[in-house]
Amino acid sequence: GMSAYALYYDYCMYRGYVPRTHIGSPERELQKAAETANSSVDGNGHVAGTKKHKVFSDTVKSYKNERIVTEASYKGGDYVSCGTKGSIRFDVVQYNRYGEVIKAWDFKTGSAYLSQSRISAMIRRSGLDIPIHMIK
């Protein structure tokens, strides 16, 4: 039941290579990055969560997928600098071939989860009408 891309991806990970071909959605890559982050940092709480987020971000960046960006902040539908008052930072955003944001993910660690009210607040603050998913 393994797809050809999944086999290729696993082979690359085993050999320490970065997969050069991206087929389909990034969910599998993001889940692998989340698993890497969760298994490489011990403990719970905000300190461990911060360290896990760093590993997650670095792992996603290592995939070199130009349509996937980590730690992107938005306000009023526009990309803004991290920390801009009133903005929201996404752990991961996906762009289409036209450079438009089409999806976002929020990486959660420990017992944290992404509630519907938080999703609504993220959409409102970012100004982006996109699906936002939790990755754990």
Side-chain angles (χ1 to χ4, degrees), residues 48-66:
T50 299
K51 290 178 182 179
K52 288 179 183 184
H53 272 79
K54 173 77 170 119
V55 172
F56 176 76
S57 177
D58 290 347
T59 303
V60 172
K61 288 175 187 174
S62 77
Y63 296 151
K64 298 182 177 154
N65 183 334
E66 53 281 338

Side-chain angles (χ1 to χ4, degrees), residues 31-128:
Q31 189 57 53
K32 288 272 191 181
E35 290 167 7
T36 298
N38 285 317
S39 66
S40 65
V41 178
D42 290 331
N44 292 310
H46 70 278
V47 173
T50 299
K51 290 178 182 179
K52 288 179 183 184
H53 272 79
K54 173 77 170 119
V55 172
F56 176 76
S57 177
D58 290 347
T59 303
V60 172
K61 288 175 187 174
S62 77
Y63 296 151
K64 298 182 177 154
N65 183 334
E66 53 281 338
R67 291 194 183 159
I68 301 294
V69 175
T70 62
E71 301 171 0
S73 295
Y74 280 85
K75 179 180 178 182
D78 296 320
Y79 181 83
V80 295
S81 299
C82 184
T84 298
K85 186 175 181 175
S87 69
I88 189 74
R89 185 182 57 81
F90 295 103
D91 292 323
V92 178
V93 295
Q94 179 182 11
Y95 296 95
N96 65 17
R97 64 182 169 179
Y98 306 109
E100 301 164 329
V101 180
I102 58 171
K103 194 184 290 187
W105 288 267
D106 195 33
F107 176 52
K108 295 295 185 189
T109 63
S111 61
Y113 71 97
L114 184 60
S115 68
Q116 188 57 51
S117 63
R118 176 68 177 151
I119 291 171
S120 297
M122 293 172 88
I123 289 170
R124 185 176 57 256
R125 287 178 59 192
S126 70
L128 300 173

